[in-house]
């Protein structure tokens, strides 16, 4: 009888293999339907009129001209006169019309008057920020930092930072909402939370939570920005109601997507670190600030990973700005604090004239419980990038204008399983279905469900039908925090195990055996190790009679199938043209621990994707705010720059697997490899050109400015 | 249904171009016509003037004659997606930058967001929907699946079309060719490693290099 | 996008008759890669759009003993796939290849490249060519001008000319063919562009009812030429600075030089001082660098774009060295 544990390595049929994602064919064929693609009969198109001002009070709204535009079916004021607007792009009026052209014409016909108020949209220059916009947190001290710095042989101080970036989901936020009768809503959202978003909408609409039916087959990117129904979701349903229940499609335009649909907070930091001349790290002091719009972003975990530095002093300030609100962004806060920590330590190792790899390993015990993992990963990554052969002391990047350098970083993440229910049904004809109210963000969730069920039931992959993306399926958690794979694989393993055990009990008498003497392998039920005493899966299922067997599996539940806490190491090899400041990635390697890997192919894609996103925010992307107008200057994909296929260099991924890793069970992977790229690339650039480019993204202007600070490497061309 | 950024344009501008037009009136030797399809005489020849209201456009899409009632301001992308339910091409940047809307016109990759539907008449339009039939994927599509050249998949149909067009013209590409030849498509999930491998695989899968065209 | 009527004439005479006498009433459509975005953002709101693609006479790339003719409707692909262009006019070829999107190369036209509007983000947000807010305050000088002009902005226009081809055409002494109600005329590429004095003006020397019909590039006559663009990304990206150079060489010695910079000024920027600095000298790393210094000697960077002076210098130096081979 199967137990609640993962099979041993030599028994795994599908688990851990390289399996192509099961929804791949429909995606490449253009058949996969995202919310944006849903066309419903009689569907109207929604548009939102937004504030042009970053801080203003609405004094009047006149929608009469908009209402007269032919084809307009609903006009709704979202925020009325008297409301104080806190960021440009905030929603004021919603409109639905029979086609997009009419909706757009109507949106432009709305007349809104404002009383403008002073705004603050940038926080780069700390000295120019009024006190009223600063929210400090209490100073935190460990040990005796003053004494430690006075006794340090080597001290370095640096300023580091990363600009605000957006999620820039390719499928913008939005949904289609329709009232199927006067009490029920059908919602096609683009969401990371199929099971909860309907309840959120129902609450806003004051209808019972069960009256919102949510359906979503595919989502075009979320990265932490799509957990909520959002105001535009509620207003979409309101427009539908005003229009007699007709379906309304309301998807954010790209400029709104980049202005109001979520950002990752910036970070700025002054960091001082000290060490003994033998390289022993002794002291940390940091003052950090940043902005995520009007809200805060929690206490930053600094020093990152190196929590065991014996003496620390930490200050943090949140700057309130009149900018679009922050949302969770893939590993919230971690990439920023990783940058400021690993960059400061890299600068310290350079000052000590130590190879940072040696410096990191010498002090690795200060990273705590995962020290051994980090050390193994660093050594593996060093092998992959030929660190010892290619590394040179800082600034000795070669003759000529193109300088080459290496950099490294380590990171951690939790990734424990979220709560998840799974229904597994075995039909008398042998068909198997997995049903779950989860979502596949492109991480491979469907594929994982199929692998786990097929593995457990001893079936080929295509014998399992996976049904997700519907809030009438068993409840499963939001896809955030890298919690999905652990949660959904655990509940599916339990459901599959219980279902199999019930089936084995049914067929045991026919095989003259006890249920716990049976196994499911190769599409058969048989006595363990004896293929002569068995029957086909179909024959076994026929014993169910006329009723299918459905079993609910849960996470949390018995047995440990998933856990939490991973480490990773990344190393980058870059070239910098010191005449132009243009940085190119030559090679970028990642070594990652994520417990038991269920599908190596899609897992690898997660890591590649995280590294590429890292290249984007390290070299190219930043939200640019205009001080005077208070608006985003680059709410488009032309100047909100992402890396292209020729911009990311050669990439390699290695998973830490086998004893000590697999036996921890499944751990989430989506976020951790996104944490280190900024630090690894920043350190590589510093190694190449001999000076720190303090702020990401490392654009030519910033690289040349750093070189000029160093003493004019770029003074001559 | 034409699209627009839904961020407002210049706030409180005293003289927007729109007002300017209204205020001064037009100075045109051939006056504007109102709605539908009209014929005017220009330089002695009859010229048809379409719109500004909805007119019928006839499009050759995937070898089939299709038609839609759209305003001249409507893009090919929006016509495909909203009027013909061909939603493989995606609307992402809607400003000719990201490539998610890529379709082929006369075998060349174009940004469908930057083509007017009315202007695409008389040309061969190929969308991602035509590449596979009866569940058989085009070699480029199969290579995307095999190499996991997709995550969320929203950029994928556009990327597939760009790769197909690229391979039709570069049947035997080097790694550098692939990096340089697909600069018109952006992915947010970061699938480029898979895409590079997929293009290399699809190139190898071609039975005759430089000759026959797939799909 | 505002509604408009659409017309697709088949002769340039018809096209010109369909245009208006004021800018903005009627827009000309070729590749559409810029016009559709401008209309979507309400930067231009024409009442009529005149599609030129039905006019066969405006197409084609032809090379002969007398030089190169690029039809206004020739696409970037047409230019790139012409072996004579690659062989004789590497400055043009490299400028076109720098547009790294195959889609833009398939759609974008020669005429469209010359007449596209600036990418200045204040202009694209609706603040006008001269980028002023409702109080008349100029937004660029104390705003975010990282991508703006470092030369030639005395008139109050701070955007940079976005044309890929223009610097190369100026370096190669090309002429631009124009057709209007008074018939055909030719303009030196170097004279075609202008810094507008107001929002109602355009950045090129056309009347509202004129169209670009062709570009005529003289036979290379032994002029070695090259373009170098400083671009941050391989993916479709605007150059941060570019330079095109044409040199008459005897051995390494420069007999004549024409040098033009892109993305540094409201117009493609002819660098006469750099030309003078180079003529009579042998091309070396040092003389190229000295010419680059001369090209940027008058640069007046704004608050955030001093780095572009350096990038422009590098572009000039590298273009000279590339041209000399």
């Amino acid at each position: 009888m199967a137990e609640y544990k993962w099979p041993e390595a030599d028994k795994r049929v599908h688990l851990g293999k390289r399996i192509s994602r099961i929804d791949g064919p429909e995606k490449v064929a253009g058949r996969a339907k995202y919310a944006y693609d849903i066309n419903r009969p009689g569907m109207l198109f929604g548009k939102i009129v937004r504030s042009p001002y970053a801080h203003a009070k609405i004094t009047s709204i006149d929608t009469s001209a908009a209402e007269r535009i032919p084809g307009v079916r609903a006009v709704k004021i979202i925020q009325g006169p008297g409301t104080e607007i806190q960021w440009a792009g905030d929603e004021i009026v919603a409109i639905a019309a029979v086609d997009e052209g009419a909706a757009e014409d109507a949106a432009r016909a709305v007349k809104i008057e404002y009383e403008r108020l002073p705004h603050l949209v940038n926080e780069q220059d700390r000295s120019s920020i009024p006190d009223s916009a600063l929210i400090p947190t209490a100073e935190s001290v460990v040990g005796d930092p003053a004494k430690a710095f006075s006794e340090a042989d080597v001290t370095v101080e640096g300023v580091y930072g990363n600009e605000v970036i957006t999620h820039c989901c390719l499928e913008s936020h939005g949904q289609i909402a329709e009232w199927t009768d006067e009490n029920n809503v059908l919602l096609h959202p683009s969401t990371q939370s199929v099971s909860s978003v309907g309840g959120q909408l129902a609450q806003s609409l004051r209808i019972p939570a069960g009256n919102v039916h949510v359906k979503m087959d595919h989502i075009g990117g979320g990265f932490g920005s799509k957990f909520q129904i959002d105001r535009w979701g509620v207003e979409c349903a309101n427009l539908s109601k005003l229009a007699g229940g007709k379906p309304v499609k309301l998807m954010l335009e790209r400029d709104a997507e980049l202005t109001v649909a979520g950002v990752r907070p910036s970070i700025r930091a002054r960091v001082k670190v000290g060490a003994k001349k033998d390289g022993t790290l002794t002291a940390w002091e940091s003052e950090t600030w940043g902005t995520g719009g009007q809200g805060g972003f929690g206490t930053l975990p600094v020093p990152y990973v190196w929590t065991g530095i014996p003496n620390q002093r930490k200050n943090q300030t949140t700057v309130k700005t009149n900018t679009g609100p922050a949302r969770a962004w893939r590993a919230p806060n971690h990439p920023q604090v990783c940058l400021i920590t690993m960059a400061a330590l890299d600068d310290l190792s350079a000052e000590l004239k130590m190879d940072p790899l040696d410096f990191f390993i010498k002090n690795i015990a200060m990273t705590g419980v995962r020290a051994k993992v980090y050390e193994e990963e660093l050594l593996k990554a060093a092998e992959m990038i030929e660190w010892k052969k290619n590394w040179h002391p800082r600034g000795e990047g070669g003759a000529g204008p193109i300088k080459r350098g290496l950099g490294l970083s380590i990171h951690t993440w939790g990734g424990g399983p979220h709560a998840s229910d799974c229904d597994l049904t075995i039909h008398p004809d042998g068909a198997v279905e997995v049903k779950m109210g989860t979502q596949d963000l492109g991480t491979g969730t469907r594929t994982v469900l199929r692998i786990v069920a097929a593995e457990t039931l001893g079936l080929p992959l295509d014998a399992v039908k996976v049904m997700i993306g519907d809030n009438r399926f068993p409840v499963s958690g939001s896809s955030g925090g890298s919690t999905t794979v652990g949660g959904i694989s655990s509940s599916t393993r339990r459901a599959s195990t219980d279902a199999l055990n019930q089936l084995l009990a049914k067929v045991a008498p026919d095989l003259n055996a006890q249920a716990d003497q049976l196994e499911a392998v190769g599409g058969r039920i048989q006595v363990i190790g004896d293929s002569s005493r068995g029957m086909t899966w179909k024959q076994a299922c026929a014993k169910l009679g006329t009723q299918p067997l459905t079993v609910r599996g849960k996470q949390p539940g018995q047995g440990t199938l998933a856990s939490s806490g991973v480490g990773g190491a990344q190393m980058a090899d870059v070239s910098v043209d010191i005449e132009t400041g243009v940085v190119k990635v030559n090679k970028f390697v990642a070594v990652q621990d994520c417990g038991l890997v269920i599908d190596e192919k899609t897992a690898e894609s997660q890591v590649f994707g995280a590294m590429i996103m890292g290249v984007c925010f390290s070299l190219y992307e930043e939200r640019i705010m205009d001080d005077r107008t208070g608006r985003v200057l680059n709410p488009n994909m032309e100047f909100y720059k992402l890396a292209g296929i020729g911009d990311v260099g050669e990439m390699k991924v290695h998973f830490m697997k086998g004893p000590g890793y697999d036996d921890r069970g499944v751990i989430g992977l989506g976020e951790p490899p996104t944490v280190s790229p900024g630090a690894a690339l920043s350190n590589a650039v510093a190694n190449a050109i001999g000076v720190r480019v303090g702020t990401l993204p490392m654009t030519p202007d910033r690289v040349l400015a750093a070189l000029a600070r160093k003493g004019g490497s770029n003074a001559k061309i | 249904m034409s699209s627009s950024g839904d961020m407002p344009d210049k706030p409180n501008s005293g003289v927007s171009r729109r007002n300017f037009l209204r205020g001064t009136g037009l100075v045109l030797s051939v006056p504007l016509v109102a709605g539908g399809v009209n014929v005017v005489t220009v330089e002695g020849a009859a010229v048809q003037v379409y719109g500004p209201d909805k007119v019928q456009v006839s499009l050759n899409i995937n070898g089939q004659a299709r038609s839609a009632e759209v305003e001249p301001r409507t893009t090919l992308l929006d016509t495909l997606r909203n009027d013909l339910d061909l939603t493989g091409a995606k609307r992402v940047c809607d400003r000719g930058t990201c490539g998610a809307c890529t379709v082929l016109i006369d075998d060349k990759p174009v940004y469908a967001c930057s083509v007017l539907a009315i202007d695409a008449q008389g040309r061969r339009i190929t969308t991602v929907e035509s590449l596979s039939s009866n569940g058989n994927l085009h070699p480029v599509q199969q290579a995307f699946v095999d190499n996991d050249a997709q995550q969320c998949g929203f950029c994928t149909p556009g990327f597939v079309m760009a790769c197909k067009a690229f391979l039709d013209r570069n049947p035997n590409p080097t790694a550098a060719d692939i990096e340089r030849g697909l600069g018109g498509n952006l992915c947010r999930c970061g699938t480029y490693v898979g895409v590079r491998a997929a293009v290399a695989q699809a190139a190898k899968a071609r039975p005759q290099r430089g000759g026959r065209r797939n799909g | 996008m505002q509604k408009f009527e659409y017309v697709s004439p088949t002769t340039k005479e018809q096209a010109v008759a369909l245009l208006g006498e004021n800018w903005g009433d009627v827009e000309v459509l070729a590749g559409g890669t810029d016009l559709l975005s401008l209309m979507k953002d309400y930067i231009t709101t024409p009442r009529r759009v005149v599609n030129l693609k039905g006019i066969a006479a405006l197409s084609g790339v032809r090379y002969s003993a007398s030089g190169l003719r690029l039809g206004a409707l020739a696409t970037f692909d047409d230019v790139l796939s012409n072996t004579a262009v690659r062989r004789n006019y590497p400055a043009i070829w490299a400028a076109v290849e720098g547009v790294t999107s195959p889609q833009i190369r398939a759609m974008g036209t020669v005429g469209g490249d010359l007449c596209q509007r600036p990418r200045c983000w204040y202009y694209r947000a609706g603040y006008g060519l001269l980028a002023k807010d409702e109080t008349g305050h100029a937004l660029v000088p104390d705003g975010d001008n990282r991508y703006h002009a470092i030369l030639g902005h005395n008139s109050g226009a701070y955007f940079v000319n976005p044309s890929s081809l223009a610097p190369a055409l100026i370096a190669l002494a090309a002429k631009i063919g124009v057709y209007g109600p008074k018939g055909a005329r030719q303009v030196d590429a170097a004279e075609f562009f202008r810094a507008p004095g107001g929002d109602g003006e355009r950045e090129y020397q056309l009347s509202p009812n004129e169209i670009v019909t062709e570009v005529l590039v003289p036979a290379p006559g032994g002029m070695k030429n090259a373009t170098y663009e400083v671009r941050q990304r391989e993916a479709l990206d605007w150059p941060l600075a570019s330079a095109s150079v044409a040199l008459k060489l005897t051995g390494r010695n420069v007999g004549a030089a024409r040098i033009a910079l892109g993305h540094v000024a409201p117009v493609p920027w002819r660098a006469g001082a750099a030309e003078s600095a180079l003529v009579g000298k042998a091309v070396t790393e040092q003389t190229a660098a000295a010419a680059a210094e001369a090209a940027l000697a008058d640069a007046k960077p704004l608050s955030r774009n001093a780095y572009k002076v350096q990038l422009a210098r590098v572009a000039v130096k590298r273009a000279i060295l590339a041209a000399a081979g």
Side-chain angles (χ1 to χ4, degrees), chain A residues 11-272:
Chain A
K11 300 274 191 205
R12 294 171 198 158
V13 177
H14 308 303
L15 213 59
K17 301 293 191 297
R18 300 186 64 83
I19 292 163
S20 294
R21 68 182 63 233
I22 65 177
D23 47 5
E26 62 186 294
K27 286 182 174 177
V28 296
R31 288 197 312 270
K33 292 285 182 187
Y34 300 74
Y36 215 141
D37 300 332
I38 304 283
N39 288 322
R40 302 282 299 162
M43 187 172 79
L44 306 175
F45 289 80
K47 292 277 175 192
I48 291 179
V49 184
R50 299 177 178 279
S51 170
Y53 300 120
H55 190 195
K57 189 176 278 184
I58 301 170
T59 55
S60 72
I61 300 177
D62 178 1
T63 60
S64 56
E67 284 157 23
R68 287 196 299 270
I69 303 259
V72 171
R73 294 290 180 267
V75 176
K76 168 118 187 328
I77 292 174
I78 302 172
Q79 299 193 85
T83 313
E84 192 173 319
I85 299 297
Q86 294 289 356
W87 57 86
D90 203 8
E91 296 84 21
I92 305 197
V93 176
I95 287 165
V98 293
D99 57 37
E100 272 198 276
E104 185 179 320
D105 292 343
R108 289 183 63 83
V110 173
K111 292 183 185 64
I112 306 171
E113 290 179 347
Y114 302 86
E115 175 194 344
R116 293 189 66 176
L117 300 166
H119 61 246
L120 174 73
V121 294
N122 280 307
E123 88 307 353
Q124 285 89 340
D125 179 8
R126 177 86 190 259
S127 62
S128 69
I129 304 170
D131 286 349
S132 58
L134 298 174
I135 311 166
T137 50
E139 180 172 88
S140 155
V141 177
V142 176
D144 188 343
K147 180 161 176 281
F149 276 112
S150 72
E151 291 172 358
D153 297 317
V154 175
T155 299
V156 297
E157 190 170 346
V159 178
Y160 312 95
N162 199 162
E163 299 293 344
V164 169
I165 64 171
T166 77
H167 300 72
C168 197
C169 306
L170 292 199
E171 182 186 28
S172 57
H173 287 62
Q175 61 288 308
I176 296 94
E178 61 191 276
W179 290 77
T180 51
D181 61 36
E182 60 188 23
N183 290 311
N184 286 279
V185 173
L186 173 60
L187 181 71
H188 290 93
S190 181
T191 183
Q192 294 177 239
S193 194
V194 164
S195 283
S196 79
V197 77
Q200 295 172 30
L201 178 60
Q203 192 173 17
S204 294
L205 299 176
R206 297 196 173 82
I207 58 176
N211 288 18
V212 177
H213 184 190
V214 175
K215 293 181 78 165
M216 185 194 74
D217 286 339
H218 299 281
I219 169 175
F223 313 111
S225 68
K226 291 182 177 169
F227 294 120
Q228 309 300 325
I229 184 65
D230 288 316
R231 185 150 62 199
W232 47 78
V234 175
E235 298 304 342
C236 184
N238 284 332
L239 288 172
S240 170
K241 182 139 212 173
L242 287 171
K246 278 182 179 266
V248 176
K249 179 188 279 190
L250 200 168
M251 304 301 294
L252 266 53
E253 301 295 342
R254 180 58 36 187
D255 51 359
E257 179 71 16
L258 293 184
T259 302
V260 302
V263 300
R264 186 178 84 176
S266 63
I267 192 166
R268 326 266 164 201
R270 263 192 286 277
V271 180
K272 190 162 90 168

Side-chain angles (χ1 to χ4, degrees), chain A residues 388-400:
Chain A
K388 283 295 172 188
K389 178 179 145 214
N390 293 324
W391 185 81
H392 55 73
R394 178 175 285 192
E396 296 176 15

Side-chain angles (χ1 to χ4, degrees), chain A residues 502-526:
Chain A
Q502 289 187 32
L503 183 66
L504 297 183
K506 289 254 187 207
V507 303
D510 291 280
L511 295 173
N512 289 322
Q514 299 299 309
D516 61 5
Q517 294 170 322
L518 300 180
E519 63 178 355
V521 290
R524 291 174 61 79
I525 303 295
Q526 63 184 36

Side-chain angles (χ1 to χ4, degrees), chain A residues 339-352:
Chain A
L339 169 72
I340 67 167
T341 304
M342 305 301 161
L345 297 185
D346 185 67
D347 285 347
L348 183 59
S349 70
E351 190 68 22
L352 285 159

